[in-house]
């Protein structure tokens, strides 16, 4: 992603006061952790990993999660708190896979999921 695309994704108004943040840098792991733990708490049936597998994860483990080459991790944020996430990963030459998507119950029906999916598809 180039700088212009990153700026568009990091702060683009998704819907209802929600902004999308593309995460992947060394300092982004706390936001990704908070979003992922919220998803695992609210919708454990939607994910293979369990909350117990991650809630006591160390910084290095969370940072490693964001370092997959070519991955595209997006967090939807409203009022400073994560309300959604989406993750796209490379699945082969010229092929990508939507690996995760979650929207908090309180943010559903407001276009947040559409914005997350659009951002991953754009990537």
């Amino acid at each position: 992603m180039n700088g212009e695309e990153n700026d568009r994704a990091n702060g683009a108004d998704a819907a209802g006061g929600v902004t999308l943040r593309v995460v992947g840098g060394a300092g982004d792991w706390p936001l990704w952790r908070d979003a992922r733990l919220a998803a695992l708490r609210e919708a454990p049936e939607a994910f293979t990993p369990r909350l117990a597998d991650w809630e006591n994860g160390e910084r290095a483990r969370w940072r490693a999660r964001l370092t997959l080459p070519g991955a595209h991790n997006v967090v939807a944020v409203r009022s400073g708190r994560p309300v959604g996430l989406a993750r796209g990963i490379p699945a082969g030459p010229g092929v990508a896979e939507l690996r995760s998507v979650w929207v908090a119950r309180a943010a559903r029906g407001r276009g947040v999921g559409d914005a997350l999916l659009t951002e991953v598809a754009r990537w």
Side-chain angles (χ1 to χ4, degrees), residues 6 10 21-25 28-29 31-32 66 71-75 86:
N6 193 38
N10 281 332
R21 292 221 20 229
V22 175
V23 297
D28 291 336
W29 70 270
L31 179 59
W32 184 256
L66 291 178
H72 192 67
N73 306 294
V74 186
V75 177

Side-chain angles (χ1 to χ4, degrees), residues 18-24 28-44 46-47 49-51 54-55 62 65-66 73-78 80-87 100-105 108 112 116:
V18 172
T19 58
L20 299 183
R21 292 221 20 229
V22 175
V23 297
D28 291 336
W29 70 270
L31 179 59
W32 184 256
R33 177 201 58 208
D34 292 350
R36 185 72 172 169
L37 292 177
L40 291 171
R41 281 186 191 104
E42 188 176 279
F47 300 96
R50 302 288 109 206
L51 178 61
W54 283 95
E55 67 185 341
W62 285 107
R65 183 78 174 175
L66 291 178
N73 306 294
V74 186
V75 177
V77 179
R78 182 176 63 200
R81 302 190 66 183
V83 295
L85 65 80
R87 176 178 170 96
S100 299
V101 66
W102 164 77
V103 175
R105 283 185 191 103
R108 292 178 188 165
V112 176
L116 287 164

